[in-house]
Amino acid sequence: MKHWSSILLLFFVIGCNNSDDKISGRKFHELMKNVEEGWSNQNTNLALSSFDEDAIYMEPPNIQYYRGHKQLRPYFNELDNKYKMEFHNLWFNKNTQSGVAEYTFSYGKDTSDVGIVVVELDNGKIKFWREYQRKGPTDFDEFLQIENKEWKWHIGNYPKPKDLIKEK
């Protein structure tokens, strides 16, 4: 009987270790919604509830860096009612516990930061936040429009392929 108890205990421990601490796509959306609402409504605690206590928040290569709630709290606390975060699209990979969000972060002007954030989760919280962004119009559809823009790079000003350049 003791042998069976040991085997059952072993299966229980293995089951607990494999209990799949992975969150679902729905839970990922909830985490990101808390960040969005927290920033947009000046609710620092709500925004921080999605982050691990020791989370890394960065904008590489050297724009922003905050570590943990201790540094994120004063960063979030500075936001007033002019600041708005809006996630347009969210993608999540349950297996890797990582996700991506396309967002607009506006601050009461006619330009905003439009970008992508890559998040990695650990134990159901954001452990790493890496954002990449561009300044642009606050209206997301206007940001994405193709017509009536002066593109810096396009096929008309792109260099000729090297195999078409004749050497002298």
Side-chain angles (χ1 to χ4, degrees):
M1 183 66 164
K2 187 175 182 178
H3 179 68
W4 283 108
S5 297
S6 297
I7 291 173
L8 288 174
L9 180 60
L10 179 63
F11 280 126
F12 176 75
V13 169
I14 291 171
C16 287
N17 287 340
N18 291 335
S19 65
D20 210 16
D21 291 336
K22 295 180 178 182
I23 68 166
S24 66
R26 184 183 58 75
K27 179 64 175 168
F28 174 72
H29 279 75
E30 288 175 19
L31 284 173
M32 299 305 281
K33 188 71 170 170
N34 287 344
V35 173
E36 180 182 68
E37 287 183 21
W39 270 342
S40 295
N41 298 312
Q42 299 72 56
N43 186 337
T44 296
N45 289 334
L46 180 61
L48 284 176
S49 72
S50 291
F51 288 86
D52 181 82
E53 283 287 331
D54 196 37
I56 293 174
Y57 179 110
M58 64 187 292
E59 184 181 350
N62 61 349
I63 307 299
Q64 296 186 81
Y65 178 84
Y66 304 95
R67 181 79 185 244
H69 284 203
K70 188 174 183 177
Q71 293 180 6
L72 285 171
R73 182 172 297 285
Y75 174 62
F76 294 162
N77 277 341
E78 283 301 308
L79 304 178
D80 59 29
N81 63 2
K82 289 183 267 184
Y83 292 89
K84 300 291 180 221
M85 171 62 88
E86 181 182 4
F87 291 116
H88 305 290
N89 296 293
L90 297 168
W91 298 273
F92 183 67
N93 183 322
K94 182 180 177 184
N95 293 331
T96 62
Q97 292 292 280
S98 58
V100 177
E102 187 175 30
Y103 67 87
T104 299
F105 187 68
S106 58
Y107 30 88
K109 299 178 182 172
D110 44 344
T111 60
S112 57
D113 294 324
V114 179
I116 299 286
V117 59
V118 178
V119 297
E120 296 177 27
L121 306 180
D122 188 31
N123 293 320
K125 299 283 185 173
I126 298 169
K127 185 70 174 178
F128 295 101
W129 172 287
R130 295 183 306 276
E131 61 189 45
Y132 308 89
Q133 56 195 8
R134 291 278 215 198
K135 297 280 185 226
T138 299
D139 181 86
F140 188 64
D141 290 332
E142 184 181 341
F143 182 85
L144 294 179
Q145 83 180 21
I146 297 171
E147 302 300 323
N148 303 317
K149 289 186 176 178
E150 291 185 30
W151 297 95
K152 291 182 181 180
W153 286 100
H154 52 84
I155 200 63
N157 67 7
Y158 206 73
K160 289 182 181 180
K162 292 179 182 171
D163 59 351
L164 294 179
I165 299 173
K166 294 181 181 178
E167 292 186 32
K168 293 181 181 184

